[in-house]
Amino acid sequence: MWRLPGSRAALRGVRTAVERHTRAEAAAATETAAGAMERAVVRCVPSEPKLSLSFALADGSHKNMQRDQSEPLGRALSRIATNALKGHAKAAAAKKSRKNRPNASGGVACAGPGPGPGPEPAAACEPVVKLYYREEAVAEDVLNVDAWQDGAVLQIGDVKYKVERNPPAFTELQLPRYIMAGFPVCPKLSLEFGDPASSLFRWYKEAQPGAAEPEGGGPSSLSPSSPSPSWTETGVNERVYTPSNADIGLRLKLHCTPGNGQRLGPSRELESVCPVEAGPGTCTFDHRHLYTKKVTDNSLIRTVSYNLLADTYAQTEFSRSVLYPYCAPYALELDYRQNLIQKELTGYNADLICLQEVDRNVFTDSLVPALEAFGLEGVFRIKQHEGLATFYRKTKFTLLSQHDISFHEALESDPLHKELLEKLVVYPSAQERVLQRSSVLQVSVLQSTKDSSKRICVANTHLYWHPKGGYIRLIQMAVALAHIRHVSCDLYPGIPVIFCGDFNSTPSTGMYHFVVNGSIPEDHEDWASNGEEERCNMSLSHFFKLKSACGEPAYTNYVGGFHGCLDYIFIDLNALEVEQVIPLPSHEEVTTHQALPSVSHPSDHIALVCDLKWK
């Protein structure tokens, strides 16, 4: 009889070490084990009071049990026996209806006395249920948390199950609804006890249109039977698949097996809901990708700043009829735009990506899966209906800390802005308007993976939008620069700054003058940008030496009623210099469909892309 040793640590010390396999060896081992013995999957984590036990009974029914980790094993085994008895009774009744034969237990041993008189004595008997570890029965007073060890064997009657404790498993698996030829398909996936890099992927497509019956597009258990003739392999065994024109009209299927570098878990597969559709042809960013085919070397930092146009703003009647009446309605749909956004961003092979107007679900369901598959990790800061996202290349940077703020909260409560607030309270109307704004600042401190002495402060913001809000943007920028100085001088002395965003300010405005010149006089016209009632004259200064890395383009925002330069990548001239600026789309490309957004461009803004170099 196997009992728990003196301590749980001792138990862990005697566990058999898991042999490391190559992917092919692990897959072969898994298939062999599955063929020899059924599988019982146990999920047991310290932070949860219950463990789950999942297995299939001989009658074909699948059981998923939740048991207290602190419960004695005997109670769990008794419950399993009861479930098996119910399943056996159903199977016996079905068999009796086909052929009346006594003792139709199928060889299942009974826990009670031998069969007595009557046609079906075995139907009243519970099967023997035992748990073995290292060929010894586990004592029934051992707690569940200690009893269900990886490699143990559960026996239910004549059927044996190999216990797999916390194997790699997908907790979420989803394909995008809208798939276009020439655009990468990035499945959304979440794993437990595993990682995507150690998992296996295999893509299929329909042999011909409609050859495979749709199954709803959700994840399903993978059948061990041979592949259906309705599906053919694409030859792609990577996480991301880019359909070709030959795939148009065909649905896709993804077969994936979770792994963690040591073993593989249960395979899953899912099918696309809709077939692959034709793409829009040439997009505004295709020519730009010719300059960004490869990831830069470690001396460079390819940086992107991009206002994506939040779905919460694109999907309004005002947007469709007033702001973007020239844009085809389907091109404003999120499913369509996400394809273009994913292809554009992944094609830049960037090291830093600062995004504005990011819907929370777009961040989690679209951007994270797509950019993670291309080696980037991201953080998100919500504003109200949308927010900011910063992504960084994992092979180049690690995230040291985050220092996000809300402008109005920081201005009211952070002593850092005490002097600015004292200047503002003299103008109550202006103060009220400033404190009503919900704009936020995202600040991330990154450290080079190659040289730990190299750290950088990456700031990202989206300033107040109203054309008459010039004085509000000035104050927001003053708060931003003071906060960035605190991070880059007090918390991490001497680290350089990259400040990206949609600043809603053209080069002729006070905000831009303040940033690049280091000060703004109290008589600047923007202090009365919304009329005399809200005038708030004050002089401001900052100590940074900042420059717009991409210069002053004719426009970064081009809609039917306006075009101008609103977006910038400001860099610290003391530590960084510009290696190259990726050319913006030509005016002909931007205006092919009158203005932005369009069927070939997913936003009303244009991404800024440049390669920066450490000095």
PDB file of all heavy atoms in Angstrom, residues 15-30 150 162 260-264:
ATOM      1  N   ARG A  15       9.592  11.759  -7.148  1.00  0.00           N
ATOM      2  CA  ARG A  15       8.877  11.638  -8.422  1.00  0.00           C
ATOM      3  C   ARG A  15       9.846  11.342  -9.555  1.00  0.00           C
ATOM      4  O   ARG A  15      10.957  11.860  -9.591  1.00  0.00           O
ATOM      5  CB  ARG A  15       8.121  12.924  -8.738  1.00  0.00           C
ATOM      6  CG  ARG A  15       6.903  13.131  -7.843  1.00  0.00           C
ATOM      7  CD  ARG A  15       6.225  14.417  -8.227  1.00  0.00           C
ATOM      8  NE  ARG A  15       5.200  14.754  -7.241  1.00  0.00           N
ATOM      9  CZ  ARG A  15       4.678  15.946  -7.095  1.00  0.00           C
ATOM     10  NH1 ARG A  15       5.080  16.931  -7.859  1.00  0.00           N
ATOM     11  NH2 ARG A  15       3.750  16.177  -6.190  1.00  0.00           N
ATOM     12  N   THR A  16       9.388  10.563 -10.498  1.00  0.00           N
ATOM     13  CA  THR A  16      10.226  10.266 -11.663  1.00  0.00           C
ATOM     14  C   THR A  16      10.388  11.514 -12.510  1.00  0.00           C
ATOM     15  O   THR A  16       9.410  12.178 -12.823  1.00  0.00           O
ATOM     16  CB  THR A  16       9.568   9.168 -12.525  1.00  0.00           C
ATOM     17  OG1 THR A  16       9.354   8.032 -11.699  1.00  0.00           O
ATOM     18  CG2 THR A  16      10.455   8.811 -13.711  1.00  0.00           C
ATOM     19  N   ALA A  17      11.606  11.832 -12.870  1.00  0.00           N
ATOM     20  CA  ALA A  17      11.870  13.009 -13.714  1.00  0.00           C
ATOM     21  C   ALA A  17      11.315  12.775 -15.105  1.00  0.00           C
ATOM     22  O   ALA A  17      11.360  11.674 -15.636  1.00  0.00           O
ATOM     23  CB  ALA A  17      13.368  13.271 -13.792  1.00  0.00           C
ATOM     24  N   VAL A  18      10.787  13.814 -15.690  1.00  0.00           N
ATOM     25  CA  VAL A  18      10.227  13.705 -17.037  1.00  0.00           C
ATOM     26  C   VAL A  18      11.343  13.762 -18.059  1.00  0.00           C
ATOM     27  O   VAL A  18      12.139  14.704 -18.081  1.00  0.00           O
ATOM     28  CB  VAL A  18       9.228  14.856 -17.298  1.00  0.00           C
ATOM     29  CG1 VAL A  18       8.673  14.747 -18.715  1.00  0.00           C
ATOM     30  CG2 VAL A  18       8.116  14.798 -16.286  1.00  0.00           C
ATOM     31  N   GLU A  19      11.405  12.744 -18.879  1.00  0.00           N
ATOM     32  CA  GLU A  19      12.463  12.704 -19.892  1.00  0.00           C
ATOM     33  C   GLU A  19      12.185  13.738 -20.969  1.00  0.00           C
ATOM     34  O   GLU A  19      11.056  13.896 -21.415  1.00  0.00           O
ATOM     35  CB  GLU A  19      12.503  11.319 -20.532  1.00  0.00           C
ATOM     36  CG  GLU A  19      13.600  11.180 -21.586  1.00  0.00           C
ATOM     37  CD  GLU A  19      13.595   9.806 -22.213  1.00  0.00           C
ATOM     38  OE1 GLU A  19      12.779   8.982 -21.785  1.00  0.00           O
ATOM     39  OE2 GLU A  19      14.400   9.589 -23.126  1.00  0.00           O
ATOM     40  N   ARG A  20      13.221  14.472 -21.359  1.00  0.00           N
ATOM     41  CA  ARG A  20      13.081  15.480 -22.407  1.00  0.00           C
ATOM     42  C   ARG A  20      13.114  14.804 -23.776  1.00  0.00           C
ATOM     43  O   ARG A  20      13.949  13.967 -24.042  1.00  0.00           O
ATOM     44  CB  ARG A  20      14.204  16.522 -22.314  1.00  0.00           C
ATOM     45  CG  ARG A  20      14.080  17.394 -21.077  1.00  0.00           C
ATOM     46  CD  ARG A  20      15.190  18.415 -21.056  1.00  0.00           C
ATOM     47  NE  ARG A  20      15.035  19.321 -19.926  1.00  0.00           N
ATOM     48  CZ  ARG A  20      14.316  20.420 -19.962  1.00  0.00           C
ATOM     49  NH1 ARG A  20      13.712  20.775 -21.075  1.00  0.00           N
ATOM     50  NH2 ARG A  20      14.201  21.188 -18.904  1.00  0.00           N
ATOM     51  N   HIS A  21      12.186  15.214 -24.633  1.00  0.00           N
ATOM     52  CA  HIS A  21      12.096  14.677 -25.992  1.00  0.00           C
ATOM     53  C   HIS A  21      12.228  15.795 -26.997  1.00  0.00           C
ATOM     54  O   HIS A  21      11.977  16.943 -26.689  1.00  0.00           O
ATOM     55  CB  HIS A  21      10.720  14.011 -26.219  1.00  0.00           C
ATOM     56  CG  HIS A  21      10.509  12.778 -25.396  1.00  0.00           C
ATOM     57  ND1 HIS A  21      11.108  11.587 -25.678  1.00  0.00           N
ATOM     58  CD2 HIS A  21       9.745  12.576 -24.288  1.00  0.00           C
ATOM     59  CE1 HIS A  21      10.713  10.680 -24.783  1.00  0.00           C
ATOM     60  NE2 HIS A  21       9.884  11.266 -23.930  1.00  0.00           N
ATOM     61  N   THR A  22      12.569  15.466 -28.187  1.00  0.00           N
ATOM     62  CA  THR A  22      12.361  16.396 -29.282  1.00  0.00           C
ATOM     63  C   THR A  22      10.873  16.406 -29.561  1.00  0.00           C
ATOM     64  O   THR A  22      10.126  15.568 -29.042  1.00  0.00           O
ATOM     65  CB  THR A  22      13.098  15.943 -30.560  1.00  0.00           C
ATOM     66  OG1 THR A  22      12.545  14.679 -30.947  1.00  0.00           O
ATOM     67  CG2 THR A  22      14.594  15.805 -30.310  1.00  0.00           C
ATOM     68  N   ARG A  23      10.415  17.361 -30.369  1.00  0.00           N
ATOM     69  CA  ARG A  23       8.970  17.424 -30.648  1.00  0.00           C
ATOM     70  C   ARG A  23       8.470  16.126 -31.270  1.00  0.00           C
ATOM     71  O   ARG A  23       7.432  15.602 -30.901  1.00  0.00           O
ATOM     72  CB  ARG A  23       8.689  18.591 -31.587  1.00  0.00           C
ATOM     73  CG  ARG A  23       8.737  19.935 -30.899  1.00  0.00           C
ATOM     74  CD  ARG A  23       8.284  21.003 -31.847  1.00  0.00           C
ATOM     75  NE  ARG A  23       8.171  22.290 -31.162  1.00  0.00           N
ATOM     76  CZ  ARG A  23       7.646  23.360 -31.715  1.00  0.00           C
ATOM     77  NH1 ARG A  23       7.192  23.328 -32.934  1.00  0.00           N
ATOM     78  NH2 ARG A  23       7.580  24.495 -31.059  1.00  0.00           N
ATOM     79  N   ALA A  24       9.198  15.614 -32.188  1.00  0.00           N
ATOM     80  CA  ALA A  24       8.761  14.390 -32.873  1.00  0.00           C
ATOM     81  C   ALA A  24       8.744  13.224 -31.904  1.00  0.00           C
ATOM     82  O   ALA A  24       7.806  12.411 -31.906  1.00  0.00           O
ATOM     83  CB  ALA A  24       9.677  14.083 -34.054  1.00  0.00           C
ATOM     84  N   GLU A  25       9.767  13.112 -31.047  1.00  0.00           N
ATOM     85  CA  GLU A  25       9.829  12.022 -30.087  1.00  0.00           C
ATOM     86  C   GLU A  25       8.700  12.132 -29.074  1.00  0.00           C
ATOM     87  O   GLU A  25       8.078  11.137 -28.695  1.00  0.00           O
ATOM     88  CB  GLU A  25      11.184  12.043 -29.377  1.00  0.00           C
ATOM     89  CG  GLU A  25      12.350  11.624 -30.260  1.00  0.00           C
ATOM     90  CD  GLU A  25      13.688  11.880 -29.593  1.00  0.00           C
ATOM     91  OE1 GLU A  25      13.747  12.742 -28.695  1.00  0.00           O
ATOM     92  OE2 GLU A  25      14.654  11.230 -29.968  1.00  0.00           O
ATOM     93  N   ALA A  26       8.426  13.374 -28.652  1.00  0.00           N
ATOM     94  CA  ALA A  26       7.357  13.568 -27.678  1.00  0.00           C
ATOM     95  C   ALA A  26       6.010  13.198 -28.269  1.00  0.00           C
ATOM     96  O   ALA A  26       5.179  12.578 -27.611  1.00  0.00           O
ATOM     97  CB  ALA A  26       7.339  15.020 -27.205  1.00  0.00           C
ATOM     98  N   ALA A  27       5.800  13.597 -29.516  1.00  0.00           N
ATOM     99  CA  ALA A  27       4.536  13.258 -30.176  1.00  0.00           C
ATOM    100  C   ALA A  27       4.384  11.751 -30.297  1.00  0.00           C
ATOM    101  O   ALA A  27       3.313  11.190 -30.054  1.00  0.00           O
ATOM    102  CB  ALA A  27       4.482  13.903 -31.561  1.00  0.00           C
ATOM    103  N   ALA A  28       5.461  11.081 -30.685  1.00  0.00           N
ATOM    104  CA  ALA A  28       5.419   9.628 -30.833  1.00  0.00           C
ATOM    105  C   ALA A  28       5.151   8.965 -29.491  1.00  0.00           C
ATOM    106  O   ALA A  28       4.371   8.017 -29.385  1.00  0.00           O
ATOM    107  CB  ALA A  28       6.734   9.123 -31.421  1.00  0.00           C
ATOM    108  N   ALA A  29       5.796   9.484 -28.434  1.00  0.00           N
ATOM    109  CA  ALA A  29       5.619   8.914 -27.104  1.00  0.00           C
ATOM    110  C   ALA A  29       4.181   9.080 -26.633  1.00  0.00           C
ATOM    111  O   ALA A  29       3.601   8.185 -26.025  1.00  0.00           O
ATOM    112  CB  ALA A  29       6.574   9.569 -26.116  1.00  0.00           C
ATOM    113  N   THR A  30       3.614  10.250 -26.923  1.00  0.00           N
ATOM    114  CA  THR A  30       2.236  10.520 -26.516  1.00  0.00           C
ATOM    115  C   THR A  30       1.270   9.566 -27.207  1.00  0.00           C
ATOM    116  O   THR A  30       0.358   9.014 -26.599  1.00  0.00           O
ATOM    117  CB  THR A  30       1.859  11.977 -26.843  1.00  0.00           C
ATOM    118  OG1 THR A  30       2.753  12.842 -26.158  1.00  0.00           O
ATOM    119  CG2 THR A  30       0.437  12.284 -26.415  1.00  0.00           C
ATOM    120  N   ASP A 150       1.382  12.607 -11.225  1.00  0.00           N
ATOM    121  CA  ASP A 150       1.659  12.361 -12.638  1.00  0.00           C
ATOM    122  C   ASP A 150       2.282  10.969 -12.788  1.00  0.00           C
ATOM    123  O   ASP A 150       3.230  10.623 -12.080  1.00  0.00           O
ATOM    124  CB  ASP A 150       2.621  13.427 -13.165  1.00  0.00           C
ATOM    125  CG  ASP A 150       2.645  13.484 -14.675  1.00  0.00           C
ATOM    126  OD1 ASP A 150       1.570  13.642 -15.274  1.00  0.00           O
ATOM    127  OD2 ASP A 150       3.741  13.363 -15.256  1.00  0.00           O
ATOM    128  N   LYS A 162      -3.918   6.176 -17.513  1.00  0.00           N
ATOM    129  CA  LYS A 162      -2.684   6.815 -17.087  1.00  0.00           C
ATOM    130  C   LYS A 162      -3.000   8.237 -16.629  1.00  0.00           C
ATOM    131  O   LYS A 162      -3.592   9.018 -17.368  1.00  0.00           O
ATOM    132  CB  LYS A 162      -1.669   6.866 -18.225  1.00  0.00           C
ATOM    133  CG  LYS A 162      -0.346   7.517 -17.835  1.00  0.00           C
ATOM    134  CD  LYS A 162       0.612   7.602 -19.005  1.00  0.00           C
ATOM    135  CE  LYS A 162       1.893   8.309 -18.589  1.00  0.00           C
ATOM    136  NZ  LYS A 162       2.848   8.456 -19.723  1.00  0.00           N
ATOM    137  N   ASN A 260       5.126  22.113 -23.674  1.00  0.00           N
ATOM    138  CA  ASN A 260       5.890  22.964 -22.760  1.00  0.00           C
ATOM    139  C   ASN A 260       7.391  22.704 -22.839  1.00  0.00           C
ATOM    140  O   ASN A 260       8.149  23.104 -21.961  1.00  0.00           O
ATOM    141  CB  ASN A 260       5.392  22.796 -21.320  1.00  0.00           C
ATOM    142  CG  ASN A 260       5.535  21.369 -20.808  1.00  0.00           C
ATOM    143  OD1 ASN A 260       6.193  20.527 -21.426  1.00  0.00           O
ATOM    144  ND2 ASN A 260       4.901  21.079 -19.685  1.00  0.00           N
ATOM    145  N   GLY A 261       7.835  22.011 -23.883  1.00  0.00           N
ATOM    146  CA  GLY A 261       9.249  21.704 -24.024  1.00  0.00           C
ATOM    147  C   GLY A 261       9.632  20.363 -23.441  1.00  0.00           C
ATOM    148  O   GLY A 261      10.704  19.828 -23.745  1.00  0.00           O
ATOM    149  N   GLN A 262       8.756  19.797 -22.594  1.00  0.00           N
ATOM    150  CA  GLN A 262       9.015  18.493 -21.998  1.00  0.00           C
ATOM    151  C   GLN A 262       8.000  17.449 -22.419  1.00  0.00           C
ATOM    152  O   GLN A 262       8.331  16.283 -22.567  1.00  0.00           O
ATOM    153  CB  GLN A 262       9.010  18.616 -20.462  1.00  0.00           C
ATOM    154  CG  GLN A 262      10.146  19.491 -19.923  1.00  0.00           C
ATOM    155  CD  GLN A 262      10.076  19.628 -18.416  1.00  0.00           C
ATOM    156  OE1 GLN A 262       9.003  19.812 -17.840  1.00  0.00           O
ATOM    157  NE2 GLN A 262      11.218  19.533 -17.768  1.00  0.00           N
ATOM    158  N   ARG A 263       6.764  17.880 -22.584  1.00  0.00           N
ATOM    159  CA  ARG A 263       5.727  16.938 -23.016  1.00  0.00           C
ATOM    160  C   ARG A 263       4.642  17.685 -23.759  1.00  0.00           C
ATOM    161  O   ARG A 263       4.580  18.920 -23.738  1.00  0.00           O
ATOM    162  CB  ARG A 263       5.148  16.177 -21.826  1.00  0.00           C
ATOM    163  CG  ARG A 263       4.501  17.067 -20.769  1.00  0.00           C
ATOM    164  CD  ARG A 263       3.824  16.214 -19.719  1.00  0.00           C
ATOM    165  NE  ARG A 263       3.346  17.006 -18.591  1.00  0.00           N
ATOM    166  CZ  ARG A 263       2.527  16.546 -17.663  1.00  0.00           C
ATOM    167  NH1 ARG A 263       2.072  15.312 -17.742  1.00  0.00           N
ATOM    168  NH2 ARG A 263       2.134  17.319 -16.666  1.00  0.00           N
ATOM    169  N   LEU A 264       3.775  16.913 -24.409  1.00  0.00           N
ATOM    170  CA  LEU A 264       2.668  17.463 -25.170  1.00  0.00           C
ATOM    171  C   LEU A 264       1.349  17.111 -24.501  1.00  0.00           C
ATOM    172  O   LEU A 264       1.231  16.053 -23.869  1.00  0.00           O
ATOM    173  CB  LEU A 264       2.682  16.924 -26.605  1.00  0.00           C
ATOM    174  CG  LEU A 264       3.918  17.281 -27.438  1.00  0.00           C
ATOM    175  CD1 LEU A 264       3.917  16.511 -28.751  1.00  0.00           C
ATOM    176  CD2 LEU A 264       3.978  18.768 -27.698  1.00  0.00           C
TER     177      LEU A 264
END
